[in-house]
Amino acid sequence: MPTSRAPFVDVVAAVREHTSLLLGLTIGFTDDDWAEPTALPGWTRSHVAAHLVDGAHRLIAVIESLSAERSTALHVDDDEERRSVEVLALASGLDLQISLDTSASELQEMLPALEGDTTPVVTRSGYTIPAWQIPLARLGEVVLHHMDLDGRTTVVDLAPDTAVAVLAFQVERYAERPNRRSVRLVADEGYTADVDGVDDQVEVRGPAADLILWLARGVSSPRLIRSWL
């Protein structure tokens, strides 16, 4: 039965796999394709790619800081991050693809060293996580932004243990948001989570991978069942 903590090596492998899938999608983009809007307000596909590149660079810096026993804060000012993404998004499609590939490859090589590392790291969203969860955070980001770049994907192919681990990680982040809605998530794999919110509780049942997209983006799939409690 899957648990909320997947084997570390499986998560690292999933980061590699889903990054490859994302790069396989974007390699076919023309410059016009990159300029297409996404469901994220004000962001084109170029902005999403720039965000992923920026995120990889910041994670690389954090992991290097861990090795040097320096500050491990990834959190940055919103304006600083916005400026960084806007500048990166101005690159050509080819340059974006190269930056996505090279930054992801460099980060991937560093992830295995984080196994068992409990050093607190402040993410760029302001949450504190142990360093060993960095691959889990990156996996969730890659999966969601692959969907943002595609615009048609409503199903994510993740192994059961890994899907539940990503979902549990997202639930913890969701529970810290202000003005969140009240939800009960019941995954087919055996994981259940309740988060109190500001309105009546909605229960959503289905595969953990589908619940990931619903919780983060409100994306429904035919495999999800919703009801009010």
Side-chain angles (χ1 to χ4, degrees):
M1 181 68 67
T3 69
S4 61
R5 184 166 179 175
F8 181 85
V9 292
D10 290 354
V11 176
V12 171
V15 175
R16 183 187 302 278
E17 176 187 353
H18 285 272
T19 299
S20 178
L21 291 172
L22 185 150
L23 291 169
L25 169 70
T26 58
I27 191 65
F29 285 175
T30 65
D31 282 343
D32 287 341
D33 291 331
W34 281 113
E36 287 289 321
T38 68
L40 301 176
W43 273 21
T44 65
R45 284 168 164 167
S46 292
H47 287 93
V48 173
H51 176 73
L52 282 167
V53 172
D54 182 70
H57 287 159
R58 294 184 190 279
L59 287 174
I60 289 166
V62 164
I63 296 171
E64 290 175 341
S65 295
L66 287 168
S67 299
E69 298 184 351
R70 299 194 301 267
S71 170
T72 55
L74 182 62
H75 182 57
V76 294
D77 179 81
D78 289 344
D79 289 337
E80 178 187 341
E81 182 178 359
R82 190 177 301 111
R83 286 192 296 269
S84 177
V85 168
E86 290 291 345
V87 170
L88 286 168
L90 294 174
S92 68
L94 176 60
D95 287 340
L96 279 171
Q97 183 73 17
I98 292 172
S99 294
L100 276 171
D101 194 350
T102 56
S103 62
S105 295
E106 184 177 355
L107 174 61
Q108 190 70 43
E109 291 180 1
M110 303 174 81
L111 294 181
L114 298 173
E115 185 169 11
D117 192 335
T118 59
T119 306
V121 173
V122 181
T123 71
R124 62 180 175 185
S125 298
Y127 303 117
T128 300
I129 63 173
W132 66 263
Q133 283 192 333
I134 286 177
L136 199 59
R138 179 65 177 181
L139 177 58
E141 188 172 47
V142 169
V143 165
L144 290 174
H145 287 319
H146 186 175
M147 182 199 69
D148 295 327
L149 288 165
D150 190 342
R152 297 166 296 177
T153 300
T154 59
V155 176
V156 177
D157 184 16
L158 286 168
D161 276 318
T162 304
V164 169
V166 173
L167 179 60
F169 180 84
Q170 287 192 336
V171 166
E172 290 180 9
R173 309 286 81 74
Y174 178 79
E176 298 176 25
R177 296 179 193 171
N179 301 318
R180 61 189 173 273
R181 67 187 303 182
S182 183
V183 300
R184 171 179 290 173
L185 302 176
V186 183
D188 294 346
E189 293 84 354
Y191 170 81
T192 300
D194 283 282
V195 181
D196 292 333
V198 297
D199 53 8
D200 294 335
Q201 189 176 53
V202 60
E203 180 181 272
V204 188
R205 292 176 173 266
D210 295 45
L211 292 172
I212 290 168
L213 299 185
W214 181 86
L215 186 64
R217 294 289 190 269
V219 174
S220 293
S221 82
R223 301 188 296 183
L224 292 179
I225 301 173
R226 282 182 288 181
S227 59
W228 295 97
L229 300 178

